[in-house]
Amino acid sequence: MNTAASLKFSDIQVSQVYQFKRTVSEQDVMGFAKLTGDFNPLHLDRDFAKKSPFKKNIVHGMLAAGLFSTLVGMYCPGEKGLYVSQTVKFRSPLYPGEEVTVRGTVTDKNESIRLITLKTEVLREEKIVINGEAKVQLTGDENG
Amino acid sequence: MNTAASLKFSDIQVSQVYQFKRTVSEQDVMGFAKLTGDFNPLHLDRDFAKKSPFKKNIVHGMLAAGLFSTLVGMYCPGEKGLYVSQTVKFRSPLYPGEEVTVRGTVTDKNESIRLITLKTEVLREEKIVINGEAKVQLTGDENG
């Protein structure tokens, strides 16, 4: 999906679920390292990772958490959203090449400030890799 | 800096500050869009952004927050860190080409679980763009 959704505040209901699947590759890990400057060897050095608790190179947690940006920016709410905050808990390692589901579940709508709260999760075979909470304000008028 | 620090738990003291400077470019914004799939027009479409509250394309908040990964992975603590959690509050927009300071201030050390807490900030001319809190566990033995 390359076109952002454009949900209105009134389109979004508590308990609705928005989700997509994604696989982060080794090249993506190198791309994130270059973008951010995080060249920590746990992500990039095979020999270093072998001696770590994870045994293999893992995806940067904040790259996987970057998929919450996609959830908010492309799926719910998309174009009309202003990202207010995100919490992120790194629960288990993600290895390059593993497919994940990125899922947002609407948990709250605050009408007065047009703010929605989403429970956000990165899941591998329904097991939590990362979880947290996103808060997003909706732009637009009273009718939207 | 392309080599990660390798601080030990005992090297880190409450109130110590770790920081670096970075400029996120338009190309970086496109790179993050491709990595994550977040092609929200606020970041990529000039005409759309012109009509937004920000008037110009802004950097993805989660790309700027990705610099906290660099702070933890390269500066404090670097190699011996296991990233446990990160909170992120998007306080003001960041435009491509603006230089920011990414700063971590150690606010707590929990000896029993070898966990450090950092106040984390992305600042433009000392004004907060993003702030939050990182928790990182240190691997290693009792002496480290």
Side-chain angles (χ1 to χ4, degrees), chain B residues 33-83:
Chain B
K34 287 179 180 166
L35 275 184
T36 59
D38 184 358
F39 294 96
N40 187 293
L42 186 56
H43 310 298
L44 300 164
D45 179 328
R46 233 165 263 249
D47 292 334
F48 180 91
K50 214 175 269 181
K51 293 173 220 145
S52 80
F54 307 120
K55 305 299 177 202
K56 289 188 292 182
N57 291 131
I58 62 170
V59 173
H60 297 80
M62 287 299 279
L63 168 53
L67 299 173
F68 294 149
S69 180
T70 311
L71 184 69
V72 165
M74 300 296 282
Y75 292 83
C76 178
E79 285 190 354
K80 297 185 196 298
L82 299 179
Y83 213 164

Side-chain angles (χ1 to χ4, degrees), chain A residues 99-101 123-129:
Chain A
E99 186 182 66
V100 292
T101 299
L123 303 153
R124 183 188 39 231
E125 294 172 357
E126 292 299 316
K127 279 184 65 179
I128 294 172
V129 173

